Amino acid sequence: MSIYRSLKVNKLTLKNTMGAVCWLKCRYKMSENGETKDVGDNGSYPVGQSRTLDLTSLNIPENAWVTVYAGVSAGKANTGDVWFIYSKDYNATANFTITGTTLNNKISYGGISDMYGEEFVNSIKLNNQSGTVCALNCFYKINKEDEPTRIGSTGYINVGQSTTLDLDALEIPNSAWITAYVDVSAGKDGYSNVWFKFQKGNKKQASYTISGVINFTDVVFDKVENIK
């Protein structure tokens, strides 16, 4: 069964841990039930290696659904079952791995690489467009490779509502990387992979939106805006 995520990407990576040579293409379509097309090919590669496909170099329409297509030498080709929205200017990579054998292989989704923005912010906002009741927290880390720390919390909000977290009131070091962490009531929490630097008193806000249901939500970055 295909899964459609509202997360945006402009690159796809496929790691080959299967016992055969494979090659990577992008499969895209304009709607969930639309006709699929395969584009791109950066050559075959053996087990233990990865390849990344830059979708911006291909003629893919903006906002098309995209996933990986793996061709397999003398075997069965396969397609990822997790789809994302293509956005030329959204510099994020969806990671996949192919496992198994030539005739019995599987493609697994392995997350989206973090994206780091240049703006400094001192506030985050959450728009709730999900079928959940949720609260906004902040995730922060000093260095990109660090494990994040969860801090601060707003009250719970219902679908159609929004909430804002003032980061100046929290003990976050200046220049720490921050993003939105969403506490989902009676469901699976989530956070955005889009990070910005915190600067106390900077008067800029990073806005995010949560969509989906209970245990299947996405937290997507919207924009950075000035605040009064």
Side-chain angles (χ1 to χ4, degrees), residues 52-202:
T52 298
L53 196 59
D54 184 353
L55 306 186
T56 64
S57 64
L58 308 174
N59 191 27
I60 300 175
E62 192 76 5
N63 296 318
W65 289 107
V66 297
T67 193
V68 297
Y69 171 90
V72 177
S73 179
K76 177 187 175 184
N78 213 334
T79 306
D81 58 5
V82 184
W83 295 74
F84 301 92
I85 299 172
Y86 168 66
S87 176
K88 182 178 181 180
D89 299 322
Y90 210 91
N91 190 25
T93 304
N95 301 289
F96 296 83
T97 299
I98 185 168
T99 58
T101 63
T102 54
L103 298 177
N104 185 20
N105 54 68
K106 178 182 178 181
I107 295 178
S108 301
Y109 166 59
I112 291 183
S113 301
D114 285 350
M115 183 178 156
Y116 296 90
E118 297 178 355
E119 291 92 345
F120 287 84
V121 303
N122 72 329
S123 174
I124 52 177
K125 179 180 179 180
L126 179 69
N127 303 296
N128 186 4
Q129 297 299 325
S130 70
T132 72
V133 174
C134 59
L136 173 62
N137 307 160
C138 175
F139 235 11
Y140 82 88
K141 56 185 177 180
I142 306 302
N143 303 300
K144 292 179 180 179
E145 63 273 16
D146 292 346
E147 286 294 320
T149 297
R150 182 177 166 189
I151 191 171
S153 182
T154 65
Y156 283 98
I157 58 172
N158 296 313
V159 61
Q161 296 181 338
S162 62
T163 188
T164 300
L165 188 61
D166 180 6
L167 305 184
D168 283 354
L170 307 176
E171 294 184 1
I172 302 174
N174 267 329
S175 296
W177 292 103
I178 63 93
T179 192
Y181 183 103
V182 183
D183 176 4
V184 177
S185 177
K188 183 179 179 181
D189 296 351
Y191 66 93
S192 174
N193 70 311
V194 183
W195 300 78
F196 297 95
K197 282 198 169 183
F198 168 68
Q199 186 176 69
K200 191 170 184 177
N202 195 55

